[in-house]
Amino acid sequence: MAEFTRGPANVDDILTTTLDKYRAKMTENWLSSFAVTRKMMSAGNVAYEDGGNTIVEDIEYQNNDTASFVDTTDTVSVAINQIMTQAKHSLKMLAGTIGISDMDEAKNSGDPARRKLIEVRVGNLENSFKEKLEIALVNAVTATTKSPWSLLDIIDSSDPALGNLGDISRTSYSWWQAIESGSAGSVATGALDAIRTAYLTTSRGMIDPVDYNITTQTVWAAYSKTLQPQQIFQNLDKADSEFTTLTFFNKPLFFSESMSSGIWL
């Protein structure tokens, strides 16, 4: 970056005798929100793997249909049920680089270095990873061999063009399909009923409730307007510590700037 020319034409008594007042904190003014990524990467939500060609998940997908009530002389089936299978997922990698020239490193040293340039660039790259992952997870992104499926693609079991999820056909096996519910109305005029139905069905009688809800800022704001003052409870999630949310069935409701329009997951 070029410096301005010194001399009487550009530097007066004030500039000569008075230093600029620098703020201690760097102001970030580019990053979109990544509430979903932050929640998914919080304590207890990340499983670390130490290698492997692919990730294989063992799945117990049905009950044993020989279970039945019997009378004294009834016969109990001895059929052997197949109740397990496996899903296979390929690994995906998110990568980026940072750099610093020898000249910049020499200049950015000692007392004149207000911030470590390399550390700021590392932090910027980490936030870039989070934003990139957020977009990949909640936007209508066409999956490639390099990128993961978005949550929308995983849930959209009606789209066969996406192929099989984890090598399992969602068309052939209903138990591998997500719960989808649509509504043409607004949150205030009917969509909330569809959301509630999908939530309760997914939660399997509330014995396995969802962890959290994700939507757009527009839908989030519309939902907040439907609540009475005493219903607007903020979820002070200390694991995330830096932001609060509304709740739906006592589970956090986040919005993401990257979420596709009109979606509630």
Side-chain angles (χ1 to χ4, degrees):
M1 179 180 292
E3 296 185 359
F4 70 88
T5 303
R6 298 311 202 267
N10 297 314
V11 180
D12 60 11
D13 290 1
I14 288 295
L15 289 179
T16 301
T17 61
T18 308
L19 293 173
D20 289 334
K21 176 65 175 180
Y22 290 99
R23 302 293 298 273
K25 181 180 179 181
M26 174 75 75
T27 300
E28 170 275 306
N29 199 39
W30 65 272
L31 186 65
S32 62
S33 68
F34 46 86
V36 178
T37 303
R38 179 182 295 176
K39 180 64 178 179
M40 292 185 69
M41 298 181 68
S42 62
N45 290 336
V46 179
Y48 293 93
E49 305 294 345
D50 57 4
N53 182 50
T54 58
I55 297 175
V56 176
E57 181 180 9
D58 296 335
I59 298 172
E60 183 180 340
Y61 65 90
Q62 68 178 7
N63 63 353
N64 186 324
D65 62 12
T66 65
S68 62
F69 291 102
V70 296
D71 204 345
T72 307
T73 59
D74 288 342
T75 301
V76 179
S77 172
V78 294
I80 298 176
N81 280 224
Q82 297 296 319
I83 60 172
M84 293 175 286
T85 189
Q86 292 180 330
K88 183 181 72 174
H89 305 278
S90 60
L91 297 174
K92 307 299 180 183
M93 180 174 289
L94 181 59
T97 63
I98 58 169
I100 188 170
S101 68
D102 291 340
M103 180 63 76
D104 285 347
E105 188 174 19
K107 290 179 178 180
N108 184 237
S109 60
D111 292 338
R114 296 178 49 249
R115 294 181 177 85
K116 289 297 183 181
L117 177 57
I118 195 71
E119 292 180 1
V120 174
R121 288 178 174 171
V122 167
N124 177 274
L125 181 60
E126 290 174 345
N127 283 332
S128 299
F129 284 157
K130 294 173 183 177
E131 183 180 54
K132 194 76 171 180
L133 183 58
E134 183 91 358
I135 293 171
L137 288 174
V138 300
N139 209 327
V141 179
T142 301
T144 68
T145 56
K146 297 179 182 179
S147 64
W149 285 24
S150 72
L151 296 177
L152 277 67
D153 291 337
I154 292 173
I155 288 174
D156 190 7
S157 58
S158 62
D159 186 357
L162 295 172
N164 297 334
L165 175 63
D167 283 349
I168 300 176
S169 170
R170 294 174 294 173
T171 302
S172 301
Y173 302 103
S174 59
W175 51 263
W176 198 231
Q177 296 175 5
I179 304 300
E180 296 180 81
S181 182
S183 174
S186 67
V187 170
T189 60
L192 197 57
D193 289 336
I195 294 168
R196 186 180 296 109
T197 297
Y199 180 95
L200 294 174
T201 305
T202 303
S203 298
R204 298 193 292 185
M206 300 304 289
I207 63 171
D208 185 21
V210 301
D211 295 314
Y212 49 91
N213 304 268
I214 316 161
T215 189
T216 65
Q217 180 176 341
T218 300
V219 176
W220 192 95
Y223 170 65
S224 70
K225 289 181 180 179
T226 68
L227 304 177
Q228 298 298 321
Q230 65 269 24
Q231 292 178 300
I232 303 177
F233 298 109
Q234 289 184 324
N235 178 46
L236 303 178
D237 192 339
K238 299 304 182 183
D240 302 314
S241 72
E242 296 181 9
F243 65 102
T244 59
T245 71
L246 295 177
T247 61
F248 183 74
F249 279 95
N250 206 33
K251 295 295 182 179
L253 171 62
F254 308 124
F255 68 81
S256 171
E257 294 176 12
S258 301
M259 176 67 78
S260 297
S261 176
I263 300 295
W264 180 312
L265 299 178

